[in-house]
């Protein structure tokens, strides 16, 4: 164990000498100039552990999604160029994916209900071997896990005891732009929402011009691609519509005001 804080090193050494004195020679103070996370590649590992997609050596991928109810892991063949036999291809990718899935569960500290969607395999023996590969890798996990057989649909249900919050929830917070949904509305969608809001505003009051404030990309979309629609809207409502880009507005945020 290497520590780059003098204070933390002193406390850890004191603890080890009191409770595990035979291990005190394994605690070392790191005084190098390079950040300790860079020295051992911890920073890169953490960044990879926060991404949804994990790439396999075979070219396949794992897509990991964590929700309130459960965690899902979807296995995809990607650009795998192995056997031309689809059953053998699925089996080989699933074997590698099973071992990687177990590792990712530990790295990310994912718990609760976990569903793994393996590539479909027709042979029962292949499904059994993939399950065995996962269980063997999970044997290294100190957290209690329960694994159920792969179904005919290629789904494996398992549970992993929750200990603390997952790595992602410790290091991240919901995106303020999408409120944790993971997606934002397209500029096309927001443009049409603005047009509908303009009609509502005119029905409330016929006086004055209209000012629309929205994010830069939405305003660019309206002025560049929808100038004809804007002209038709102005003619039908007998209103002049002004558009102003607000850099601090989120994609789906806009205001329509009468001047």
């Amino acid at each position: 164990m290497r520590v780059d804080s003098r204070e933390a090193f002193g406390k850890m050494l004191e603890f080890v000498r009191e409770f595990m004195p035979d291990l005190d020679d394994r605690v070392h103070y790191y005084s190098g100039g390079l950040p300790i996370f860079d020295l051992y590649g911890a920073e890169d590992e953490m960044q990879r552990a926060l991404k949804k997609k994990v790439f396999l050596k075979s070219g396949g991928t794992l897509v990991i999604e964590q929700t309130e109810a459960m965690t899902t892991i979807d296995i995809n063949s990607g650009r795998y160029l192995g056997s031309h036999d689809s059953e053998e291809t699925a089996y080989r990718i699933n074997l590698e994916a099973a071992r990687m899935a177990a590792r990712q569960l530990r790295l990310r500290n994912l718990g609760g209900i976990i569903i793994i969607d393996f590539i479909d395999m027709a042979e029962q023996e292949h499904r059994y071997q993939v399950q065995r590969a996962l269980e063997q890798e999970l044997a290294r996990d100190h957290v209690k896990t329960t694994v159920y057989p792969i179904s005919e649909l290629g789904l494996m249900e398992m549970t992993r005891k929750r200990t603390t919050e997952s790595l992602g929830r410790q290091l991240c917070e919901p995106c303020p732009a999408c409120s944790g949904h993971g997606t934002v509305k397209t500029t096309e969608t927001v443009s049409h929402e603005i047009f509908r809001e303009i009609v509502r505003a005119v029905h409330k009051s016929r006086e004055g011009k209209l000012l629309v404030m929205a994010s830069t990309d939405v305003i660019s979309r309206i002025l560049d691609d929808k100038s004809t629609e804007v002209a038709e809207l102005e003619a039908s409502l007998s209103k002049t519509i002004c558009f102003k880009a607000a850099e601090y507005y989120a994609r789906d945020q806009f205001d329509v005001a009468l001047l």
Side-chain angles (χ1 to χ4, degrees):
M1 182 173 285
R2 301 187 185 278
V3 192
D4 62 355
S5 163
R6 279 286 185 189
E7 182 181 359
F9 171 71
K11 291 180 180 179
M12 292 170 67
L13 196 59
E14 181 181 344
F15 178 88
V16 169
R17 285 174 175 170
E18 181 174 354
F19 296 100
M20 298 171 284
D22 55 327
L23 299 180
D24 67 342
D25 60 338
R26 299 193 187 185
V27 183
H28 305 277
Y29 173 69
Y30 172 73
S31 58
L34 189 69
I36 195 168
F37 273 24
D38 292 353
L39 183 67
Y40 293 98
E43 191 76 40
D44 292 339
E45 282 291 336
M46 288 172 61
Q47 293 303 321
R48 281 193 288 268
L50 293 175
K51 294 181 178 179
K52 289 171 50 174
K53 185 174 288 189
V54 179
F55 293 93
L56 303 174
K57 291 181 180 179
S58 63
T61 57
L62 279 70
V63 179
I64 303 171
E65 297 269 7
Q66 184 182 7
T67 67
E68 291 296 329
M70 67 182 70
T71 296
T72 62
I73 303 178
D74 184 33
I75 315 299
N76 298 306
S77 59
R79 61 181 188 278
Y80 181 77
L81 300 175
S83 170
H84 293 293
D85 183 338
S86 60
E87 174 70 15
E88 186 67 19
T89 297
Y91 174 55
R92 296 298 176 189
I93 295 175
N94 285 337
L95 273 178
E96 184 184 2
R99 298 185 182 101
M100 178 57 76
R103 181 171 186 270
Q104 291 298 320
L105 293 177
R106 296 197 307 273
L107 281 175
R108 300 168 188 243
N109 194 31
L110 297 170
I113 299 172
I114 299 158
I115 305 294
I116 306 179
D117 185 6
F118 287 104
I119 303 170
D120 290 344
M121 296 175 289
E123 295 187 22
Q124 179 63 39
E125 179 61 22
H126 284 169
R127 292 199 292 267
Y128 173 74
Q129 290 299 333
V130 169
Q131 181 179 339
R132 285 283 297 151
L134 179 70
E135 290 173 336
Q136 288 172 359
E137 192 67 23
L138 288 173
R140 303 169 55 192
D141 197 340
H142 296 294
V143 178
K144 177 179 172 56
T145 57
T146 304
V147 177
Y148 297 92
I150 300 176
S151 71
E152 294 294 329
L153 295 176
L155 300 177
M156 172 183 281
E157 300 175 21
M158 65 170 290
T159 60
R160 185 173 185 271
K161 184 178 179 181
R162 294 186 188 275
T163 51
T164 58
E165 285 285 3
S166 68
L167 181 69
R169 289 183 176 166
Q170 289 186 54
L171 301 183
C172 305
E173 61 184 18
C175 167
C178 69
S179 301
H181 293 298
T183 59
V184 293
K185 294 177 181 177
T186 66
T187 54
E188 177 78 9
T189 299
V190 179
S191 297
H192 286 291
E193 289 181 352
I194 289 174
F195 291 159
R196 290 193 290 271
E197 184 60 31
I198 288 173
V199 175
R200 294 189 193 103
V202 170
H203 277 290
K204 291 178 182 177
S205 175
R206 306 292 299 185
E207 301 298 326
K209 299 179 181 179
L210 280 169
L211 172 65
V212 175
M213 293 184 65
S215 65
T216 302
D217 54 350
V218 170
I219 295 297
S220 296
R221 177 63 182 268
I222 292 173
L223 297 181
D224 294 343
D225 301 333
K226 297 187 175 296
S227 56
T228 301
E229 293 179 47
V230 171
E232 291 175 353
L233 191 60
E234 287 181 321
S236 66
L237 299 175
S238 300
K239 286 284 185 181
T240 299
I241 305 173
C242 302
F243 295 91
K244 182 178 180 181
E247 294 182 0
Y248 51 88
Y249 272 38
R251 168 73 64 79
D252 60 354
Q253 181 182 0
F254 61 85
D255 288 304
V256 177
L258 288 164
L259 299 179

